[in-house]
Amino acid sequence: NAGVTQTPKFQVLKTGQSMTLQCAQDMNHEYMSWYRQDPGMGLRLIHYSVGAGITDQGEVPNGYNVSRSTTEDFPLRLLSAAPSQTSVYFCASSYRTDSNEQFFGPGTRLTVL
Amino acid sequence: AQSVTQPDIHITVSEGASLELRCNYSYGATPYLFWYVQSPGQGLQLLLKYFSGDTLVQGIKGFEAEFKRSQSSFNLRKPSVHWSDAAEYFCVFAGGTSYGKLTFGQGTILTVHP
């Protein structure tokens, strides 16, 4: 199993550009989520999905879109990047209960100039 | 509202010394609690988790944590710290109908002096 994979590892954007952060998992997990990590703030939930075709907003959803067309993939889209979106982004997956461990990807470091 | 707080932003210990990282939560029922570790430039690794039952939980790398309902705490401990334990540690909360949505504490950065 590859676990949770994320691409790219690093990305630099200019303000206003769009891009998609990719996330995939091969563990047949129903639940997938996106977090952003900023210094001194821990990780904050952006969007999450409890299964294919079902997504919902987390704590900081503004400026981000998601979709879940398959169980394996959960891409995060930035439609018009802003400097405030400079962060490290982590994707996670788990079985659909609170009591199961969430597995995290290696992260994508995004800089918006 | 549910929340989790790590009071210490940065802790420094000497190698071989004992360690305790503090975590407090706010929630009306029994929470699901986790400790994750993040080494510099790396992803997150689960150290241990508490759901129910024994209040003293053993984890990987010699770590343990104790759930104390009366104090709303879930402190992480290690009897003897190694230089490789230097990392950032996150106390994490999940509960109720959050369907696996995690709430992270702010993190505690651990520095280990030789």
Side-chain angles (χ1 to χ4, degrees):
Chain A
N1 284 351
V4 180
T5 59
Q6 291 183 238
T7 56
K9 291 187 177 181
F10 301 95
Q11 182 70 48
V12 179
L13 294 178
K14 295 181 179 179
T15 296
Q17 287 185 316
S18 64
M19 81 159 296
T20 299
L21 307 185
Q22 301 292 342
C23 174
Q25 53 90 12
D26 60 359
M27 296 173 281
N28 202 31
H29 286 164
E30 301 98 323
Y31 184 87
M32 296 186 74
S33 55
W34 277 101
Y35 295 84
R36 60 177 288 172
Q37 182 179 24
D38 302 293
M41 303 187 75
L43 277 72
R44 293 179 292 168
L45 183 66
I46 304 172
H47 284 285
Y48 66 99
S49 169
V50 297
I54 306 170
T55 64
D56 205 348
Q57 297 181 349
E59 180 185 356
V60 289
N62 292 341
Y64 306 95
N65 280 349
V66 293
S67 61
R68 184 99 177 267
S69 56
T70 67
T71 299
E72 295 78 19
D73 301 298
F74 190 45
L76 179 71
R77 283 185 287 276
L78 285 71
L79 297 179
S80 179
S84 61
Q85 294 178 304
T86 294
S87 188
V88 181
Y89 292 85
F90 288 97
C91 180
S93 73
S94 72
Y95 293 111
R96 191 184 165 181
T97 66
D98 283 345
S99 60
N100 276 285
E101 173 185 356
Q102 288 207 24
F103 293 84
F104 284 85
T108 294
R109 184 174 295 275
L110 175 68
T111 301
V112 183
L113 303 175
Chain B
Q2 59 199 36
S3 66
V4 59
T5 302
Q6 295 177 245
D8 304 305
I9 297 174
H10 197 168
I11 284 183
T12 299
V13 300
S14 298
E15 190 169 16
S18 63
L19 172 70
E20 183 169 30
L21 302 182
R22 296 184 291 164
C23 172
N24 295 99
Y25 69 90
S26 175
Y27 186 60
T30 300
Y32 298 108
L33 293 164
F34 311 81
W35 276 98
Y36 281 85
V37 60
Q38 184 180 33
S39 298
Q42 302 297 312
L44 290 98
Q45 182 180 24
L46 180 68
L47 284 176
L48 46 79
K49 56 188 176 184
Y50 171 79
F51 303 136
S52 63
D54 289 340
T55 56
L56 186 62
V57 180
Q58 301 297 321
I60 62 171
K61 303 184 178 184
F63 286 92
E64 67 178 26
E66 186 171 12
F67 173 69
K68 292 185 177 180
R69 185 187 304 277
S70 61
Q71 300 178 17
S72 297
S73 69
F74 188 57
N75 294 350
L76 182 70
R77 301 194 295 246
K78 187 171 185 179
S80 178
V81 171
H82 189 263
W83 64 266
S84 60
D85 293 324
E88 188 164 17
Y89 292 79
F90 294 97
C91 183
V92 181
F93 168 97
T97 58
S98 59
Y99 295 118
K101 290 182 290 182
L102 301 180
T103 300
F104 280 74
Q106 301 91 327
T108 298
I109 297 172
L110 174 66
T111 299
V112 180
H113 282 168

